């Protein structure tokens, strides 16, 4: 397939050091693009590293730098500040951000990575926690201070007609969450379902109850690829190029994840490919959820996104209700043919 190259100019994102004249005449320049993950390098985001390793970004004229993140909420402020051009961040948090920053969107979702949010609370059965959210009553639940699963809890409580304080939060760092669960310092903890693989390696799954937000009837879109207003308005071709390359790698990872696991192993040699493969298998259930069969990877159903906007607005008492179109911009998506599930 012919790939368009987007050559950096005086208006490009970042100036490049001039190459020797002999090369400048024959080698196209690559446009630098800074991308922030939502968290660490893991199997959850392996397609981005596969695209980088196999040169898909370079084929699109991009020199992509991928950095680790500080949470799916923090990605939004990183992009809004201009430090990063694009990144991976939570849609519900983006809705809140739009409500608090009315006017021209500073950040927009441009590709829906998690077609369903993988939000779960995992509880210890020996503390009386079952698959029923009611069993969390009066328990201690660990979560980071600012993270998407914790932020979304009031929507579950509202759906199940439970008080927001059905249980007590125990604030902890992401890195300490497994430890406090294993030691029994808390009764349960919030996770992205696929992030819990590290816990499953230390506790037997039969000792744990997994309470999925989707089982409570809360169908939320999860982390999406986000882009800054400057990228969307001034460089939409660059956004489209990034999405084409990423979508290409995502399709390949869904069909055969092994090369993508090798790609993240190259980036982070300490990773265990077997564990990351198991993590990806969980991720794939949320990335390629059932309704992606009808509209393809990366897109959303407008009415479901509008419902999510309504839920977030009502639960958090937002004074300004963002529009679904303002939150999610589908103009730069790859073609439906490229996004149709092939695996």
């Amino acid at each position: 397939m012919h790939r368009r190259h987007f050559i950096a100019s005086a208006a490009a994102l970042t100036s490049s050091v001039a190459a020797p004249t002999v090369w400048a005449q024959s080698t196209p320049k690559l446009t630098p693009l800074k991308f922030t993950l939502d968290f660490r390098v893991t199997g959850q985001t392996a397609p981005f590293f596969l695209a980088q390793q196999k040169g898909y970004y370079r084929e699109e004229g991009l020199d992509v730098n991928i950095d680790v993140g500080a949470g799916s909420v923090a990605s939004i402020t990183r992009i809004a500040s201009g430090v990063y051009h694009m990144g991976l961040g939570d849609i519900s948090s983006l809705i809140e951000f739009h409500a608090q920053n009315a006017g021209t969107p500073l950040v927009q979702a441009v590709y829906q990575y998690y077609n369903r949010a993988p939000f779960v609370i995992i509880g210890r059965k020996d503390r009386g926690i079952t698959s029923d959210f009611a069993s969390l009553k009066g328990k201690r639940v660990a979560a980071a201070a600012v993270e998407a699963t914790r932020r979304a809890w009031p929507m579950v409580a509202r759906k199940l007609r439970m008080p927001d304080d059905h249980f007590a939060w125990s604030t902890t760092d992401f890195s300490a969450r497994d430890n406090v669960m294993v030691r029994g310092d808390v009764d349960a903890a919030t996770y992205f379902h696929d992030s819990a693989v590290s816990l499953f390696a230390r506790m037997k799954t039969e000792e744990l109850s997994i309470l999925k937000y989707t089982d409570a009837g809360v169908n939320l879109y999860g982390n999406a690829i986000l882009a800054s207003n400057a990228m969307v308005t001034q460089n939409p071709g660059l956004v489209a190029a990034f999405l084409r390359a990423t979508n290409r790698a995502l399709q390949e990872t869904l069909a055969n994840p092994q090369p993508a696991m090798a790609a993240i192993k190259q980036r982070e040699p300490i990773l265990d490919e077997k564990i990351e493969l198991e993590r990806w298998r969980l991720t794939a259930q949320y990335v390629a959820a059932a309704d992606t069969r009808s509209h393809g990877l990366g897109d959303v159903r407008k009415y479901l996104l509008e419902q999510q906007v309504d839920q977030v607005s009502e639960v958090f008492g937002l004074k300004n209700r963002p529009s679904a179109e303002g939150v999610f911009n589908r103009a730069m998506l790859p073609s439906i043919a490229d996004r149709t599930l092939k695996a």
Side-chain angles (χ1 to χ4, degrees):
M1 180 183 297
H2 177 67
R3 299 285 173 184
R4 295 172 59 193
H5 291 265
F6 295 90
I7 301 176
S9 65
L13 303 174
T14 306
S15 60
S16 302
V17 177
T21 303
V22 62
W23 292 110
Q25 293 175 347
S26 58
T27 304
K29 297 177 183 177
L30 298 175
T31 301
L33 190 151
K34 292 189 66 177
F35 184 87
T36 177
L37 297 175
D38 55 334
F39 198 40
R40 297 190 300 260
V41 177
T42 68
Q44 293 157 290
T45 51
F48 297 98
F49 295 95
L50 182 66
Q52 189 175 53
Q53 184 192 69
K54 297 187 78 170
Y56 295 163
Y57 293 132
R58 293 182 67 87
E59 287 180 28
E60 294 285 359
L62 301 173
D63 179 15
V64 176
N65 183 69
I66 304 174
D67 287 340
V68 298
S72 54
V73 179
S75 295
I76 299 169
T77 53
R78 281 185 169 192
I79 297 167
S81 69
V83 176
Y84 288 86
H85 306 117
M86 300 180 69
L88 200 61
D90 177 54
I91 281 282
S92 291
S93 299
L94 182 62
I95 293 168
E96 283 190 80
F97 182 83
H98 275 224
Q100 296 162 359
N101 298 272
T104 301
L106 298 175
V107 180
Q108 287 186 300
V110 292
Y111 187 104
Q112 190 58 49
Y113 189 70
Y114 280 100
N115 189 260
R116 287 293 181 274
F119 299 160
V120 299
I121 293 177
I122 299 180
R124 296 178 56 121
K125 289 183 178 178
D126 63 358
R127 301 293 176 84
I129 299 175
T130 69
S131 58
D132 188 342
F133 281 91
S135 66
L136 291 170
K137 184 175 182 180
K139 305 298 185 183
R140 297 181 68 227
V141 179
V146 179
E147 56 108 346
T149 308
R150 177 173 182 167
R151 291 289 294 157
W153 164 251
M155 285 181 271
V156 179
R158 185 185 183 95
K159 184 74 173 182
L160 299 177
R161 298 182 180 180
M162 293 177 175
D164 288 351
D165 60 353
H166 185 65
F167 52 77
W169 290 110
S170 176
T171 301
T172 187
D173 292 333
F174 285 113
S175 60
R177 188 169 45 185
D178 289 353
N179 291 335
V180 296
M181 278 288 287
V182 172
R183 290 197 304 261
D185 297 343
V186 295
D187 308 302
T190 60
Y191 282 90
F192 273 27
H193 193 177
D194 39 10
S195 293
V197 169
S198 57
L199 177 65
F200 300 154
R202 299 177 63 183
M203 294 185 71
K204 296 178 181 178
T205 53
E206 56 265 30
E207 298 174 343
L208 302 167
S209 294
I210 300 174
L211 296 86
K212 299 180 181 180
Y213 284 20
T214 52
D215 289 345
V218 178
N219 292 311
L220 303 173
Y221 288 113
N223 281 5
I225 297 176
L226 313 177
S228 68
N229 176 64
M231 288 290 289
V232 169
T233 58
Q234 300 172 29
N235 297 287
L238 298 177
V239 177
F242 180 88
L243 297 183
R244 279 195 302 273
T246 303
N247 181 80
R248 181 182 176 188
L250 176 56
Q251 288 276 23
E252 291 183 10
T253 306
L254 289 168
N256 177 18
Q258 293 288 358
M261 299 308 110
I264 59 169
K265 177 75 171 180
Q266 182 178 10
R267 169 67 181 258
E268 293 289 350
I270 195 172
L271 294 177
D272 184 322
E273 287 186 56
K274 291 182 179 179
I275 291 177
E276 297 311 320
L277 180 60
E278 182 59 31
R279 193 191 308 275
W280 169 255
R281 285 174 176 153
L282 288 172
T283 300
Q285 298 173 24
Y286 294 93
V287 169
D291 59 352
T292 57
R293 296 286 174 183
S294 63
H295 59 62
L297 297 167
D299 205 353
V300 297
R301 290 178 181 267
K302 184 180 178 182
Y303 78 92
L304 283 179
L305 182 57
E306 288 176 338
Q307 287 179 3
Q308 189 163 345
V309 171
D310 288 340
Q311 289 180 66
V312 173
S313 298
E314 291 171 10
V315 167
F316 296 111
L318 304 181
K319 294 181 179 180
N320 301 305
R321 182 192 179 283
S323 68
E325 294 82 1
V327 172
F328 189 90
N329 187 335
R330 59 166 44 85
M332 292 150 285
L333 284 173
S335 69
I336 184 62
D338 287 340
R339 292 186 294 102
T340 299
L341 277 172
K342 298 174 175 59

